[in-house]
């Protein structure tokens, strides 16, 4: 009996994993042995673990992007579903630029968007406590500064185009209305200039005046930068930051618009030559330019040029011109060849003197002065070839043009007049009802009607539009240096357009003009069109 009990207990112990004596040895031999951990096996395990981690983070990032692309789409997906972690002010705007892709199809929850803007702005500016949407006559997005007991509002009405189409005239008339509050500059270039965008939305907000609760209830903040319509990144950034904004665009006969821009740039060239000669009179500045890094001429300019010359109204245009010449070695070589041909370049010239003659003060013919018809036509042909893909089919094939930097777009004459393509790009990011398209002729001939239409679009009750004299008086009071810094002139008579230039422009804009009329459902009978022989 005792022998039987001992065998039973030993069997029970074995079942419970407790093996003693000979039974343990026999059972241990029958178990499968684990492989010994060698250095080679450890390396394989580490590689496999690393690959798994990489795959995990790739899938996580993909899921994050899918979530964010749909977070404003439908149902109850809102900004709250996506956790933003703004690290600091230097990376917040870049992070927003990289991750946010809100198109016109996305439905936006304004309450969640205001929480999102509050998180962003409190990182960018420690003086801001919160931001919120305020509904008065119009919808405003304002941020509070509790220490100063003030509020500032982002613009609710933004003019986006088109250059040389009467935008400044319309903006001057807007200034008569005391309910429309303008910023410190007429053209802010916040959404289309990378350096200003990266500097942060807080700097942009501070360029607008402090407002009381009554002013916020009755009016709006507004700005007009006619180049916003050109680069796609500007419209995308605007949609991400100010999805409620009402947009305004003025179009003009593209033939007249292009000629007006050519004349403005000629005036700019003359002023830039004068400013360049002032700089080149200092040998140390010229030598510093030649030694500088051509890819970052903005830094070279700040290093080489004295502060008093940096504050000139022509300094910014000079930087753009010099940067463009630095990058375009083909044009520089063409200039040197032409200088040699007309015996203006000497063998004894230093690199600084060559740089001065060629890249800053080009010889006659390198820029189209007065009625230099041949060079104007050559520039237009060159740009037309670059735009060739835009007209091969009805699809949008100008994406490469729209992704360029503003400094490159500033050299264009033809691209700015492709209104249909620009409007289609705008509608990709903003709903159609948020864009009001006006025509230059009605701005001039029916100012009262246009003003009421614009106020209705902005959400403000109608008022008296005032007169042009009061408008220009108010404009020059707020922006006294605008004409000198941009080359823009009010009511300045233009020279007659050469026949070859007019013929080229009329033929080029025939199909884009037809496309615009089909797109917005409006005819422009007074715009210039090719004469058809019967």
């Amino acid at each position: 009996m005792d022998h039987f009990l001992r065998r039973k207990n030993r069997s029970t112990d074995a079942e419970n994993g407790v093996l003693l004596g000979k039974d343990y040895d026999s059972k241990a031999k029958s178990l499968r042995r684990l492989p010994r951990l060698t250095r080679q096996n450890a390396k394989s395990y580490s590689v496999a673990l690393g690959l798994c981690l990489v795959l995990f983070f790739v899938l996580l990032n993909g899921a994050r992007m899918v979530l964010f692309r749909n977070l404003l789409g439908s149902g109850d997906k809102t900004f709250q579903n996506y956790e933003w972690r703004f690290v600091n002010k230097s990376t917040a705007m870049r992070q927003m630029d990289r991750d946010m892709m809100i198109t016109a199809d996305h439905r936006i929850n304004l309450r969640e968007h205001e929480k999102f803007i509050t998180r962003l702005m409190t990182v960018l500016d420690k003086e801001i406590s919160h931001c919120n949407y305020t509904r008065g006559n119009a919808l405003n997005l304002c941020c509070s500064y509790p220490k100063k007991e003030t509020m500032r509002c982002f613009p609710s009405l933004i003019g986006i185009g088109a250059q040389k189409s009467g935008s400044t005239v319309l903006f001057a008339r807007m200034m008569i209305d005391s309910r429309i509050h303008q910023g410190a500059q007429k053209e802010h270039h916040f959404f289309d200039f990378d350096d200003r965008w990266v500097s942060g939305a807080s700097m942009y907000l501070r360029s607008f005046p402090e407002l009381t609760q009554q002013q916020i209830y009755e009016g709006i903040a507004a700005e007009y930068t006619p180049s916003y319509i050109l680069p796609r990144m500007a419209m995308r950034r605007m949609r991400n930051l100010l999805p409620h904004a009402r947009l305004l665009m003025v179009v003009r006969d593209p033939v007249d618009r292009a000629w007006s821009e050519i004349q403005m740039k000629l005036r700019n060239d003359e002023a830039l030559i004068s400013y360049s000669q002032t700089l080149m009179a200092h040998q140390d500045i010229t030598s510093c330019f030649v030694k500088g890094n051509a890819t970052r001429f903005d830094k070279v300019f700040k290093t080489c040029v004295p502060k008093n010359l940096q504050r000139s109204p022509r300094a910014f245009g000079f930087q753009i011109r010099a940067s463009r010449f630095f990058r375009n070695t083909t044009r520089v070589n063409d200039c040197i060849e032409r200088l040699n041909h007309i015996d203006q370049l000497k063998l004894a010239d230093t690199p600084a003197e060559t740089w001065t003659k060629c890249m800053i003060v080009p010889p006659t013919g390198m820029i189209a002065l007065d009625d230099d018809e041949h060079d104007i036509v050559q520039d237009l042909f060159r740009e037309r070839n670059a735009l060739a893909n835009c007209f091969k089919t009805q699809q949008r094939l100008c994406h490469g043009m729209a992704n360029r930097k503003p400094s490159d777009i500033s050299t264009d004459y033809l691209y700015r007049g492709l209104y249909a393509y620009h409007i289609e790009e705008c509608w990709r990011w903003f709903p159609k009802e948020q864009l009001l398209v006006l025509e230059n002729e009605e701005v001039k001939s029916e100012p009262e009607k246009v003003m009421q239409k614009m106020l209705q679009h902005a959400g403000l009750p109608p008022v008296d539009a005032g007169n042009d004299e009061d408008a220009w008086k108010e404009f020059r009071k707020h922006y006294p240096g605008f004409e000198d810094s941009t080359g823009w002139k009010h009511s300045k008579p233009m020279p007659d357009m050469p026949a070859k230039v007019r013929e080229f422009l009329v033929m080029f804009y025939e199909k884009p003009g037809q496309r615009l009329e089909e797109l917005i459902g409006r005819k422009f009978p007074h715009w210039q069109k090719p004469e058809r022989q019967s």
Side-chain angles (χ1 to χ4, degrees):
M1 187 67 179
D2 293 339
H3 177 69
F4 175 76
L5 288 175
R6 284 197 298 272
R7 290 188 62 187
K8 184 177 180 180
N9 291 338
R10 189 180 298 123
S11 175
T12 303
D13 291 340
E15 290 174 359
N16 292 331
V18 181
L19 303 176
L20 304 174
K22 294 181 180 180
D23 293 323
Y24 174 81
D25 294 337
S26 62
K27 289 289 185 182
K29 290 179 181 179
S30 64
L31 291 174
R32 181 179 178 184
R33 293 187 178 183
L34 294 173
R36 295 179 62 185
L37 185 63
T38 64
R39 182 176 297 179
Q40 183 176 3
N41 289 339
K43 185 176 180 181
S44 301
Y45 293 150
S46 299
V47 172
L49 179 61
L51 292 175
C52 290
L53 289 174
V54 170
L55 181 61
F56 171 75
F57 282 112
V58 169
L59 293 175
L60 181 64
N61 187 60
R64 181 175 66 88
M65 292 301 296
V66 170
L67 170 66
F68 192 77
R69 283 173 181 269
N70 295 285
L71 80 122
L72 300 174
S74 59
D76 57 355
K77 292 181 179 179
T78 64
F79 277 98
Q80 199 172 18
N81 297 103
Y82 187 83
E83 183 62 29
W84 269 93
R85 292 190 178 92
F86 294 118
V87 180
N88 53 54
K89 64 170 63 177
S90 64
T91 60
M93 301 304 289
R94 289 190 177 93
Q95 180 182 351
M96 187 175 176
D97 227 2
R98 182 182 65 249
D99 293 341
M100 296 187 73
M101 292 286 289
I102 308 174
T103 66
D105 297 330
H106 289 118
R107 179 172 55 82
I108 292 180
N109 184 314
L110 293 183
R111 289 304 164 201
E112 297 303 334
H113 183 260
E114 104 182 350
K115 295 177 184 178
F116 167 80
I117 292 297
T118 297
R119 290 201 299 272
L120 170 66
M121 297 303 291
T122 51
V123 169
L124 296 175
D125 193 336
K126 299 301 181 183
E127 294 186 15
I128 294 176
S129 61
H130 67 279
C131 301
N132 61 283
Y133 280 99
T134 303
R135 171 70 73 175
N137 287 332
L139 184 64
N140 291 308
L141 176 58
C142 306
C143 295
S144 177
Y145 297 79
K147 291 184 179 180
K148 299 181 180 179
E149 298 182 354
T150 59
M151 296 188 72
R152 297 178 190 266
C153 296
F154 286 103
S156 297
L157 179 64
I158 303 178
I160 59 175
Q163 188 186 39
K164 306 306 297 176
S165 295
S167 59
T168 305
V169 175
L170 184 61
F171 186 76
R173 292 200 179 118
M174 289 166 54
M175 296 182 69
I176 301 177
D177 192 337
S178 60
R179 300 170 301 174
I180 302 178
H181 306 282
Q182 300 82 21
Q185 302 90 29
K186 188 265 177 180
E187 299 180 6
H188 289 256
H189 291 286
F190 173 68
F191 295 101
D192 59 339
F193 283 9
D194 289 341
D195 56 339
R196 298 188 185 184
W197 171 259
V198 172
S199 68
S202 58
M203 298 295 291
Y204 180 56
L205 180 61
R206 283 182 178 272
S207 66
F208 292 92
E210 298 175 351
L211 302 176
T212 64
Q213 289 287 354
Q214 184 68 19
Q215 288 175 317
I216 294 173
Y217 179 82
E218 294 179 350
I220 58 172
E223 72 131 318
Y224 210 124
T225 304
S227 60
Y228 281 160
I229 192 66
L230 299 175
R232 183 186 309 168
M233 62 180 179
M235 302 310 301
R236 171 183 165 184
R237 289 168 174 173
M238 196 181 300
R239 176 64 170 169
N240 294 337
L241 185 66
L242 305 175
H244 72 291
R246 314 295 287 187
L247 307 181
L248 190 63
M249 182 176 180
V250 182
V251 297
R252 178 185 182 184
D253 183 346
V255 175
D256 291 336
R257 193 220 65 83
W259 181 242
S260 178
E261 183 179 0
I262 289 171
Q263 295 305 310
M264 186 185 74
K265 289 183 176 178
L266 296 182
R267 293 192 296 271
N268 275 334
D269 284 336
E270 294 170 357
L272 280 177
I273 288 175
S274 176
Y275 178 71
S276 303
Q277 289 171 341
T278 302
L279 293 181
M280 296 307 108
H282 301 272
Q283 185 64 33
D284 54 338
I285 295 179
T286 310
S287 301
C288 184
F289 281 162
V290 175
K291 297 175 183 177
N293 181 2
T295 60
R296 291 304 307 271
F297 188 78
D298 54 339
K299 292 186 176 180
V300 174
F301 182 82
K302 291 179 181 179
T303 303
C304 300
V305 178
K307 296 291 185 183
N308 61 322
L309 293 176
Q310 290 186 29
R311 290 190 289 268
S312 168
R314 295 296 171 184
F316 180 71
F318 174 85
Q319 290 184 63
I320 293 180
R321 169 68 68 85
S323 300
R324 190 162 67 242
F325 273 114
F326 257 131
R327 293 196 304 269
N328 194 341
T329 55
T330 302
R331 180 144 190 183
V332 173
N333 292 334
D334 290 344
C335 178
I336 293 176
E337 183 178 347
R338 182 171 295 196
L339 282 170
N340 283 319
H341 179 70
I342 59 179
D343 296 329
Q344 286 190 10
L345 189 66
K346 302 175 183 178
L347 294 176
D349 284 347
T350 64
E353 291 170 332
T354 303
W355 189 88
T356 304
K357 290 181 178 180
C358 200
M359 287 181 277
I360 300 303
V361 190
T364 303
M366 285 301 291
I367 54 177
L369 290 173
D370 299 330
D371 56 351
D372 194 342
E373 179 180 331
H374 174 74
D375 276 355
I376 294 175
V377 174
Q378 290 300 316
D379 287 343
L380 295 176
F381 267 105
R382 193 179 300 112
E383 186 183 350
R384 186 194 65 176
N385 293 335
L387 291 168
N389 285 337
C390 299
F391 308 104
K392 287 184 178 179
T393 68
Q394 292 298 321
Q395 299 177 0
R396 292 174 294 151
L397 296 176
C398 291
H399 293 342
M401 302 292 288
N403 287 330
R404 296 174 303 161
K405 294 183 178 180
S407 59
D408 296 324
I409 293 173
S410 67
T411 65
D412 295 341
Y413 299 120
L414 303 177
Y415 179 67
R416 294 175 186 268
L418 301 178
Y419 305 130
Y421 170 71
H422 300 321
I423 291 173
E424 283 182 322
E425 278 298 307
C426 178
W427 285 349
R428 180 185 176 195
W429 302 103
F430 280 88
K432 294 182 179 181
E433 61 271 15
Q434 287 185 228
L435 174 65
L436 173 64
V437 180
L438 300 171
E439 205 264 329
N440 173 263
E441 287 298 321
E442 64 178 331
V443 172
K444 293 189 297 183
S445 60
E446 302 176 328
E448 182 73 26
K449 181 179 178 181
V450 168
M451 190 68 181
Q452 304 313 322
K453 188 184 296 187
M454 184 195 65
L455 291 175
Q456 182 181 5
H457 178 66
L460 300 179
V463 294
D464 181 21
N467 56 63
D468 283 354
E469 184 178 349
D470 293 338
W472 291 118
K473 183 178 179 180
E474 192 71 16
F475 181 84
R476 291 189 174 98
K477 175 183 174 182
H478 281 79
Y479 309 111
F482 179 75
E483 296 184 38
D484 292 335
S485 62
T486 61
W488 179 88
K489 297 293 181 183
H490 173 54
S491 300
K492 181 179 178 63
M494 289 192 299
D496 293 335
M497 191 186 310
K500 288 184 179 179
V501 176
R502 184 182 301 276
E503 181 183 358
F504 176 92
L505 292 174
V506 168
M507 293 298 295
F508 178 84
Y509 282 119
E510 180 184 11
K511 290 184 178 179
Q514 294 173 358
R515 174 65 182 139
L516 175 65
E517 292 178 342
E518 295 171 359
L519 186 68
I520 65 176
R522 179 177 177 179
K523 298 293 184 180
F524 301 100
H526 55 277
W527 285 12
Q528 301 174 64
K529 296 177 174 61
E531 296 181 1
R532 303 296 182 189
Q533 295 181 355
S534 56

